[in-house]
Amino acid sequence: MKTIHKEEIARAVAKLCKQANYYLGQDMTDALQKAYDQELSLTGKEIIQQLLKNADIARSEEVPMCQDTGFAVVFVELGQDVHIEGGALEDAINEGVRRGYTEGYLRKSIVGHPLERVNTGDNTPAVIHLKLVPGNKMKITVAPKGGGSENMSGIKMLKPAEGVEGVKKFVLDTVKAAGPNPCPPIIVGVGIGGTFEKCALLAKEALLRPVGTPSHRPEIARLERELLDEINSTGIGPQGLGGRFTALAVHIEIYPVHIASLPVAVNINCHASRHKEIVL
């Protein structure tokens, strides 16, 4: 049995909140550079170049790469042989978010009541997804999610008879409707199967995969490629001003489903696709 103190968790989350907002992942940097090399639109190339420069400035000066520093979405894989002492896990995570967003001068974007709209002042509470796993370690992933891209996401309960073509149509329709609003080039996370809430979570989890890493399932990897090609054929382009690269990747996660259901969810991430992780 391994013991982890609440304070250690809070310190780790605070650090991850800052790192996620300051340092764009190498996978995203590489994907943007590849898009720059292949983009045919001069305007599109200039925009991608600016995004790369912006990420470099954020990294070197340790400032947020985007003014929307996001809702703190935290994924926790908790080993069943880990004991947390000193307080509750949820409290530790929220304390970490509070510190990270305050110490890091990150924008506080959370209101405590969805209708009354009063800012909580410290970007808490976080949205926490907890998974119990074997072992004596704890993996924490902080994935700040901006409002612009989140607002362009969608979910639909398809009829099973609509099949793969229905899934493709919904994904494409969602991306087309989003247009320039989620600040392309985007990453498109897709969840297929499960229940209403499970497929939405799958779509968000898909965004954590290194950019451009295909599904281990051949038929799903093929569908990812087909969707990426069709999305990039829309001509929306970087920042919606035209070009080849509306999306850098499509990532799909699936789950078993009821015989009467075919839920599909799309969770879009902007070019500031942010997530950092640590194992305690």
Side-chain angles (χ1 to χ4, degrees):
M1 181 69 71
K2 180 178 182 179
T3 298
I4 301 176
H5 197 277
K6 172 186 174 183
E7 176 60 23
E8 185 178 356
I9 297 169
R11 286 198 303 265
V13 170
K15 183 177 181 180
L16 291 173
C17 287
K18 289 180 279 189
Q19 289 181 337
N21 277 290
Y22 296 162
Y23 310 133
L24 189 63
Q26 190 62 47
D27 59 334
M28 275 298 297
T29 302
D30 291 345
L32 284 168
Q33 184 62 57
K34 183 178 178 181
Y36 173 81
D37 294 339
Q38 298 180 4
E39 180 57 71
L40 300 178
S41 163
L42 292 180
T43 300
K45 286 182 80 74
E46 182 178 353
I47 289 169
I48 295 170
Q49 187 178 49
Q50 290 173 352
L51 295 177
L52 285 165
K53 184 177 180 180
N54 179 77
D56 186 57
I57 292 171
R59 183 181 302 107
S60 62
E61 299 187 12
E62 294 195 329
V63 294
M65 67 189 79
C66 176
Q67 79 279 3
D68 184 351
T69 53
F71 210 129
V73 181
V74 182
F75 294 86
V76 180
E77 293 183 13
L78 180 62
Q80 61 189 15
D81 296 324
V82 172
H83 170 67
I84 298 169
E85 68 176 6
L89 175 61
E90 183 175 349
D91 293 340
I93 291 171
N94 281 319
E95 176 59 27
V97 171
R98 182 178 297 109
R99 291 184 200 173
Y101 275 75
T102 301
E103 296 168 359
Y105 300 100
L106 307 177
R107 195 182 81 182
K108 287 77 176 175
S109 303
I110 305 308
V111 296
H113 189 296
L115 301 179
E116 295 175 357
R117 315 297 293 182
V118 178
N119 199 296
T120 63
D122 56 14
N123 220 64
T124 64
V127 168
I128 303 169
H129 300 292
L130 176 63
K131 183 183 296 184
L132 291 176
V133 298
N136 65 348
K137 298 183 184 301
M138 175 189 294
K139 179 180 177 182
I140 304 172
T141 303
V142 174
K145 193 62 165 68
S149 61
E150 190 76 351
N151 289 347
M152 295 299 103
S153 302
I155 188 168
K156 188 172 184 181
M157 306 301 289
L158 299 178
K159 298 179 179 65
E162 294 180 78
V164 68
E165 291 306 316
V167 169
K168 290 174 69 173
K169 181 178 185 303
F170 177 66
V171 174
L172 285 168
D173 286 350
T174 302
V175 172
K176 288 177 183 177
N181 293 322
C183 297
I186 57 178
I187 309 298
V188 183
V190 180
I192 306 172
T195 54
F196 178 86
E197 80 283 3
K198 179 64 175 179
C199 77
L201 181 56
L202 289 171
K204 180 142 288 175
E205 289 175 338
L207 297 174
L208 301 179
R209 195 194 305 170
V211 175
T213 304
S215 169
H216 67 279
R217 298 173 181 267
E219 77 285 2
I220 299 300
R222 183 171 60 252
L223 180 57
E224 291 172 337
R225 292 193 299 270
E226 291 173 358
L227 280 168
L228 182 61
D229 287 343
E230 293 191 41
I231 288 169
N232 285 336
S233 295
T234 62
I236 294 169
Q239 296 298 294
L241 296 176
R244 291 182 64 188
F245 287 91
T246 300
L248 299 174
V250 176
H251 294 165
I252 300 173
E253 298 293 339
I254 66 171
Y255 198 79
V257 68
H258 191 281
I259 57 173
S261 301
L262 180 56
V264 56
V266 176
N267 197 213
I268 295 175
N269 219 345
C270 65
H271 62 84
S273 182
R274 301 163 288 190
H275 46 89
K276 296 296 179 184
E277 65 186 46
I278 191 171
V279 176
L280 301 178

